[in-house]
PDB file of all heavy atoms in Angstrom:
ATOM      1  N   LEU J  23     -18.837  -2.602 -30.519  1.00 89.00           N
ATOM      2  CA  LEU J  23     -17.523  -2.055 -30.784  1.00 89.00           C
ATOM      3  C   LEU J  23     -16.408  -2.990 -30.355  1.00 89.00           C
ATOM      4  O   LEU J  23     -15.275  -2.896 -30.855  1.00 89.00           O
ATOM      5  CB  LEU J  23     -17.313  -0.716 -30.134  1.00 89.00           C
ATOM      6  CG  LEU J  23     -18.337   0.431 -30.621  1.00 89.00           C
ATOM      7  CD1 LEU J  23     -18.214   1.669 -29.769  1.00 89.00           C
ATOM      8  CD2 LEU J  23     -18.017   0.706 -32.068  1.00 89.00           C
ATOM      9  N   LYS J  24     -16.723  -3.827 -29.346  1.00 91.00           N
ATOM     10  CA  LYS J  24     -15.656  -4.672 -28.817  1.00 91.00           C
ATOM     11  C   LYS J  24     -15.989  -6.135 -28.843  1.00 91.00           C
ATOM     12  O   LYS J  24     -17.087  -6.530 -28.437  1.00 91.00           O
ATOM     13  CB  LYS J  24     -15.408  -4.333 -27.364  1.00 91.00           C
ATOM     14  CG  LYS J  24     -14.900  -2.901 -27.082  1.00 91.00           C
ATOM     15  CD  LYS J  24     -14.773  -2.714 -25.608  1.00 91.00           C
ATOM     16  CE  LYS J  24     -13.429  -3.226 -25.088  1.00 91.00           C
ATOM     17  NZ  LYS J  24     -12.986  -2.542 -23.833  1.00 91.00           N
ATOM     18  N   THR J  25     -15.074  -6.977 -29.250  1.00 91.00           N
ATOM     19  CA  THR J  25     -15.206  -8.407 -29.063  1.00 91.00           C
ATOM     20  C   THR J  25     -14.361  -8.872 -27.930  1.00 91.00           C
ATOM     21  O   THR J  25     -14.527  -9.952 -27.382  1.00 91.00           O
ATOM     22  CB  THR J  25     -14.847  -9.168 -30.342  1.00 91.00           C
ATOM     23  OG1 THR J  25     -13.550  -8.828 -30.703  1.00 91.00           O
ATOM     24  CG2 THR J  25     -15.849  -8.959 -31.464  1.00 91.00           C
ATOM     25  N   HIS J  26     -13.347  -8.109 -27.631  1.00 92.00           N
ATOM     26  CA  HIS J  26     -12.339  -8.487 -26.564  1.00 92.00           C
ATOM     27  C   HIS J  26     -11.915  -7.269 -25.791  1.00 92.00           C
ATOM     28  O   HIS J  26     -11.971  -6.120 -26.291  1.00 92.00           O
ATOM     29  CB  HIS J  26     -11.125  -9.155 -27.227  1.00 92.00           C
ATOM     30  CG  HIS J  26     -11.429 -10.407 -27.917  1.00 92.00           C
ATOM     31  ND1 HIS J  26     -11.954 -10.443 -29.161  1.00 92.00           N
ATOM     32  CD2 HIS J  26     -11.224 -11.698 -27.538  1.00 92.00           C
ATOM     33  CE1 HIS J  26     -12.112 -11.734 -29.556  1.00 92.00           C
ATOM     34  NE2 HIS J  26     -11.644 -12.515 -28.570  1.00 92.00           N
ATOM     35  N   HIS J  27     -11.326  -7.532 -24.621  1.00 94.00           N
ATOM     36  CA  HIS J  27     -10.696  -6.453 -23.892  1.00 94.00           C
ATOM     37  C   HIS J  27      -9.180  -6.529 -24.266  1.00 94.00           C
ATOM     38  O   HIS J  27      -8.598  -7.554 -24.435  1.00 94.00           O
ATOM     39  CB  HIS J  27     -10.790  -6.694 -22.386  1.00 94.00           C
ATOM     40  CG  HIS J  27     -12.114  -6.240 -21.787  1.00 94.00           C
ATOM     41  ND1 HIS J  27     -12.711  -5.077 -22.176  1.00 94.00           N
ATOM     42  CD2 HIS J  27     -12.996  -6.765 -20.918  1.00 94.00           C
ATOM     43  CE1 HIS J  27     -13.855  -4.910 -21.507  1.00 94.00           C
ATOM     44  NE2 HIS J  27     -14.012  -5.941 -20.766  1.00 94.00           N
ATOM     45  N   CYS J  28      -8.581  -5.319 -24.412  1.00 96.00           N
ATOM     46  CA  CYS J  28      -7.211  -5.251 -24.882  1.00 96.00           C
ATOM     47  C   CYS J  28      -6.266  -6.064 -24.048  1.00 96.00           C
ATOM     48  O   CYS J  28      -5.492  -6.877 -24.618  1.00 96.00           O
ATOM     49  CB  CYS J  28      -6.698  -3.772 -24.818  1.00 96.00           C
ATOM     50  SG  CYS J  28      -7.670  -2.638 -25.826  1.00 96.00           S
ATOM     51  N   GLY J  29      -6.253  -5.844 -22.762  1.00 95.00           N
ATOM     52  CA  GLY J  29      -5.287  -6.481 -21.884  1.00 95.00           C
ATOM     53  C   GLY J  29      -5.518  -7.951 -21.669  1.00 95.00           C
ATOM     54  O   GLY J  29      -4.662  -8.665 -21.097  1.00 95.00           O
ATOM     55  N   ALA J  30      -6.684  -8.439 -22.088  1.00 94.00           N
ATOM     56  CA  ALA J  30      -7.015  -9.838 -21.873  1.00 94.00           C
ATOM     57  C   ALA J  30      -6.738 -10.705 -23.026  1.00 94.00           C
ATOM     58  O   ALA J  30      -6.918 -11.916 -22.967  1.00 94.00           O
ATOM     59  CB  ALA J  30      -8.542  -9.996 -21.526  1.00 94.00           C
ATOM     60  N   LEU J  31      -6.246 -10.151 -24.115  1.00 95.00           N
ATOM     61  CA  LEU J  31      -5.855 -10.913 -25.270  1.00 95.00           C
ATOM     62  C   LEU J  31      -4.609 -11.667 -25.047  1.00 95.00           C
ATOM     63  O   LEU J  31      -3.666 -11.196 -24.366  1.00 95.00           O
ATOM     64  CB  LEU J  31      -5.651  -9.973 -26.537  1.00 95.00           C
ATOM     65  CG  LEU J  31      -6.936  -9.355 -27.074  1.00 95.00           C
ATOM     66  CD1 LEU J  31      -6.556  -8.190 -28.021  1.00 95.00           C
ATOM     67  CD2 LEU J  31      -7.765 -10.363 -27.774  1.00 95.00           C
ATOM     68  N   THR J  32      -4.565 -12.906 -25.532  1.00 95.00           N
ATOM     69  CA  THR J  32      -3.442 -13.826 -25.328  1.00 95.00           C
ATOM     70  C   THR J  32      -3.122 -14.476 -26.642  1.00 95.00           C
ATOM     71  O   THR J  32      -3.800 -14.288 -27.638  1.00 95.00           O
ATOM     72  CB  THR J  32      -3.687 -14.889 -24.274  1.00 95.00           C
ATOM     73  OG1 THR J  32      -4.713 -15.753 -24.798  1.00 95.00           O
ATOM     74  CG2 THR J  32      -4.196 -14.290 -22.976  1.00 95.00           C
ATOM     75  N   THR J  33      -2.082 -15.284 -26.640  1.00 96.00           N
ATOM     76  CA  THR J  33      -1.700 -16.033 -27.863  1.00 96.00           C
ATOM     77  C   THR J  33      -2.820 -16.967 -28.248  1.00 96.00           C
ATOM     78  O   THR J  33      -2.845 -17.443 -29.403  1.00 96.00           O
ATOM     79  CB  THR J  33      -0.442 -16.830 -27.615  1.00 96.00           C
ATOM     80  OG1 THR J  33      -0.560 -17.523 -26.403  1.00 96.00           O
ATOM     81  CG2 THR J  33       0.820 -15.888 -27.552  1.00 96.00           C
ATOM     82  N   ASP J  34      -3.736 -17.282 -27.337  1.00 95.00           N
ATOM     83  CA  ASP J  34      -4.859 -18.152 -27.686  1.00 95.00           C
ATOM     84  C   ASP J  34      -5.758 -17.566 -28.781  1.00 95.00           C
ATOM     85  O   ASP J  34      -6.457 -18.282 -29.500  1.00 95.00           O
ATOM     86  CB  ASP J  34      -5.797 -18.451 -26.488  1.00 95.00           C
ATOM     87  CG  ASP J  34      -5.052 -19.215 -25.447  1.00 95.00           C
ATOM     88  OD1 ASP J  34      -4.021 -19.810 -25.790  1.00 95.00           O
ATOM     89  OD2 ASP J  34      -5.517 -19.255 -24.278  1.00 95.00           O
ATOM     90  N   GLN J  35      -5.775 -16.248 -28.917  1.00 94.00           N
ATOM     91  CA  GLN J  35      -6.614 -15.649 -29.919  1.00 94.00           C
ATOM     92  C   GLN J  35      -5.905 -15.359 -31.257  1.00 94.00           C
ATOM     93  O   GLN J  35      -6.488 -14.635 -32.118  1.00 94.00           O
ATOM     94  CB  GLN J  35      -7.250 -14.311 -29.373  1.00 94.00           C
ATOM     95  CG  GLN J  35      -8.318 -14.486 -28.299  1.00 94.00           C
ATOM     96  CD  GLN J  35      -7.700 -14.628 -26.934  1.00 94.00           C
ATOM     97  OE1 GLN J  35      -6.742 -13.903 -26.613  1.00 94.00           O
ATOM     98  NE2 GLN J  35      -8.219 -15.573 -26.153  1.00 94.00           N
ATOM     99  N   ILE J  36      -4.716 -15.842 -31.400  1.00 95.00           N
ATOM    100  CA  ILE J  36      -4.005 -15.531 -32.593  1.00 95.00           C
ATOM    101  C   ILE J  36      -4.743 -15.958 -33.860  1.00 95.00           C
ATOM    102  O   ILE J  36      -5.384 -17.044 -33.819  1.00 95.00           O
ATOM    103  CB  ILE J  36      -2.597 -16.248 -32.551  1.00 95.00           C
ATOM    104  CG1 ILE J  36      -1.680 -15.357 -31.717  1.00 95.00           C
ATOM    105  CG2 ILE J  36      -1.949 -16.395 -33.935  1.00 95.00           C
ATOM    106  CD1 ILE J  36      -0.385 -15.962 -31.303  1.00 95.00           C
ATOM    107  N   ASN J  37      -4.656 -15.120 -34.870  1.00 95.00           N
ATOM    108  CA  ASN J  37      -5.331 -15.348 -36.141  1.00 95.00           C
ATOM    109  C   ASN J  37      -6.847 -15.052 -36.104  1.00 95.00           C
ATOM    110  O   ASN J  37      -7.513 -15.176 -37.124  1.00 95.00           O
ATOM    111  CB  ASN J  37      -5.164 -16.776 -36.677  1.00 95.00           C
ATOM    112  CG  ASN J  37      -3.684 -17.027 -37.010  1.00 95.00           C
ATOM    113  OD1 ASN J  37      -2.961 -16.081 -37.346  1.00 95.00           O
ATOM    114  ND2 ASN J  37      -3.250 -18.252 -36.825  1.00 95.00           N
ATOM    115  N   LEU J  38      -7.331 -14.632 -34.928  1.00 94.00           N
ATOM    116  CA  LEU J  38      -8.743 -14.197 -34.847  1.00 94.00           C
ATOM    117  C   LEU J  38      -8.844 -12.727 -35.365  1.00 94.00           C
ATOM    118  O   LEU J  38      -7.924 -11.945 -35.289  1.00 94.00           O
ATOM    119  CB  LEU J  38      -9.225 -14.218 -33.426  1.00 94.00           C
ATOM    120  CG  LEU J  38      -9.769 -15.538 -32.865  1.00 94.00           C
ATOM    121  CD1 LEU J  38     -10.311 -15.213 -31.492  1.00 94.00           C
ATOM    122  CD2 LEU J  38     -10.848 -16.131 -33.764  1.00 94.00           C
ATOM    123  N   LYS J  39     -10.037 -12.462 -35.944  1.00 95.00           N
ATOM    124  CA  LYS J  39     -10.309 -11.091 -36.245  1.00 95.00           C
ATOM    125  C   LYS J  39     -10.935 -10.499 -34.918  1.00 95.00           C
ATOM    126  O   LYS J  39     -11.803 -11.095 -34.371  1.00 95.00           O
ATOM    127  CB  LYS J  39     -11.409 -11.038 -37.356  1.00 95.00           C
ATOM    128  CG  LYS J  39     -10.829 -10.694 -38.732  1.00 95.00           C
ATOM    129  CD  LYS J  39     -11.832  -9.897 -39.550  1.00 95.00           C
ATOM    130  CE  LYS J  39     -11.212  -9.183 -40.700  1.00 95.00           C
ATOM    131  NZ  LYS J  39      -9.909  -8.588 -40.573  1.00 95.00           N
TER     132      LYS J  39
END
Side-chain angles (χ1 to χ4, degrees):
Chain J
L23 296 173
K24 296 178 82 158
T25 55
H26 297 78
H27 281 316
C28 300
L31 288 166
T32 66
T33 48
D34 293 344
Q35 286 88 41
I36 280 170
N37 296 330
L38 275 185
K39 259 213 161 326

